[in-house]
Structures are given as C-alpha cells and as structure tokens.
Amino acid sequence: MEFEQTVANDLLRIKAVTLRPDHPFTWASGIKAPIYTDNRLTISYPDVRQHIYQGMSDLIRRFYGETTVTAGTATAGIPHAAWVAEELGLPMIYVRSKPKDHGQGRQIEGVLAPDAKVVVIDDLLSTGGSVLNAVKAVQKEGAEVLGVVADFSYQLPALDENFAAANLTYHTVTNYSALIEVAEENNLVTVDQKESLHAWRKDPANWQA
C-alpha cells in the first residue's frame, strides 16, 4: 500500500519512532526493545496527520465499508478518530480506558446507538490489550465492532494471537517491517542491525541486543 512507505518515512522524519538496536529501551512491561514509538507527535505535523487519517479512511472504505461510527481510544486514538470521522462524514465517539469515577460513570463519550457498526481507532498496536478493552466496552453497549484500524503495528506474534482470540480483524496504515525497510533505505540502520530488529519482532521476550 502506498501509505505504508510514506507514513513510515514520516514517523522516522519527525522522530516519532526511534530505533536503537545497540542500546535498547526498557518498556514498562520490562521487555527490552530496540524501538520506541511516540505517535502522539504526529498531531503537531499537518502533513503527517493528513497522511495518517487519509490512510485510515482508505482502510475503512476497503475493509469496513459498513461503518456507521468511528471510535477513538482515549487518549491517543481520539484525534485520529476525529479526523477520520470528518473525512468519512461519520459520527464519532471515544472510549475511556475505564469508566469515569464521577458523574454518570460513563466509559464511552458521545452517542452510540445499539445498532451502530463501529471501527475502533488507535495510534499504535503492540499486543492489542488496550484496544481490545475498548472493543469490549463498545460491544457491552450492544453495538457491533467491525474491526480495528491503527496508524502503526509492531507486528508482534501476541497481537495476532489476541485478535484471533477476540475473533476480530485489524489493519494498520504502516507497520514495523515497512519502517525497518525505510530506515535501511535511508541508511539509518546497518545490515546487522536490521537482522537484530527483525529478530526482536519475532521473539521480543527472548531477544537480546
């Protein structure tokens, strides 16, 4: 897909993604990783965010054409879901990570009809845990979730396993493999580093720098 290379290049250019295979990051989970991603930076670059929401909109048209509502995950998915909703002329909601502890105790903000056909939008997919929690919140209200669309995926084995268990599909504008290819083309990683980066994706728990 044309958007894969474009957006991968965008993420590297604005430093939303940092590759450091020789000096890995430690994620909150304790896993050592050669990559750190902060897609929240994309909202500050009009050309980048346009590439993303146009890519997301294209994915929804292609794979989830029956969509009647876009749902953003709080907080990173909210701006993208808003731009996609505007692009497609659809209503939008957003889903909190947990119900509010005051007021009406809502987890979903906006109007969600029981017969709605929803695509949940996030900025980043790692194992899929947080976005699948948002999916469950939407399903709990009686709406149908058609699938998930995101900007970027690490393409970890656990992601596919978790979505298979949830009997759900996902599509992303770009992904880890595309990013590594673009990084190599731009001489940002060596051949040895590329091999190490791909090894991490296949088995992050046992990968060593």
Side-chain angles (χ1 to χ4, degrees):
M1 187 186 299
E2 61 180 290
F3 284 109
E4 279 191 3
Q5 301 292 322
T6 299
V7 174
N9 189 68
D10 286 339
L11 297 180
L12 288 166
R13 173 170 56 86
I14 68 171
K15 294 181 170 53
V17 172
T18 303
L19 296 172
R20 218 168 64 185
D22 299 330
H23 303 283
F25 300 93
T26 302
W27 285 0
S29 61
I31 288 178
K32 297 288 185 182
I35 182 170
Y36 180 77
T37 305
D38 184 2
N39 281 341
R40 290 164 296 193
L41 295 178
T42 62
I43 65 177
S44 298
Y45 297 85
D47 61 327
V48 176
R49 71 190 191 208
Q50 185 178 52
H51 292 158
I52 292 169
Y53 77 69
Q54 286 178 342
M56 288 181 169
S57 298
D58 183 53
L59 290 171
I60 290 172
R61 291 187 190 102
R62 290 176 61 197
F63 298 105
Y64 308 117
E66 300 175 26
T67 302
T68 61
V69 177
T70 69
T73 57
T75 58
I78 292 175
H80 300 297
W83 290 316
V84 170
E86 185 68 15
E87 176 81 358
L88 298 178
L90 293 175
M92 176 202 156
I93 60 173
Y94 73 85
V95 188
R96 299 176 181 275
S97 57
K98 59 183 180 180
K100 289 171 63 176
D101 58 5
H102 60 280
Q104 294 182 318
R106 289 182 180 146
Q107 186 170 2
I108 293 174
E109 300 292 353
V111 177
L112 180 63
D115 62 347
K117 296 182 184 297
V118 182
V119 166
V120 179
I121 294 176
D122 207 347
D123 71 324
L124 172 69
L125 300 180
S126 53
T127 64
S130 60
V131 75
L132 288 172
N133 283 338
V135 166
K136 290 175 184 175
V138 172
Q139 292 171 331
K140 187 177 178 182
E141 297 298 314
E144 179 184 357
V145 176
L146 300 179
V148 169
V149 167
D151 176 19
F152 182 80
S153 163
Y154 288 122
Q155 298 177 298
L156 300 179
L159 177 64
D160 288 336
E161 292 167 7
N162 290 334
F163 267 80
N167 195 29
L168 205 66
T169 59
Y170 70 89
H171 296 277
T172 62
V173 180
T174 192
N175 55 58
Y176 186 80
S177 296
L179 185 91
I180 302 310
E181 294 304 319
V182 171
E184 185 183 31
E185 290 171 7
N186 293 331
N187 298 313
L188 299 177
V189 295
T190 66
V191 173
D192 288 344
Q193 288 175 327
K194 178 183 174 182
E195 290 181 5
S196 178
L197 287 162
H198 282 303
W200 173 80
R201 182 187 67 78
K202 295 173 184 175
D203 189 7
N206 295 310
W207 175 85
Q208 293 183 344

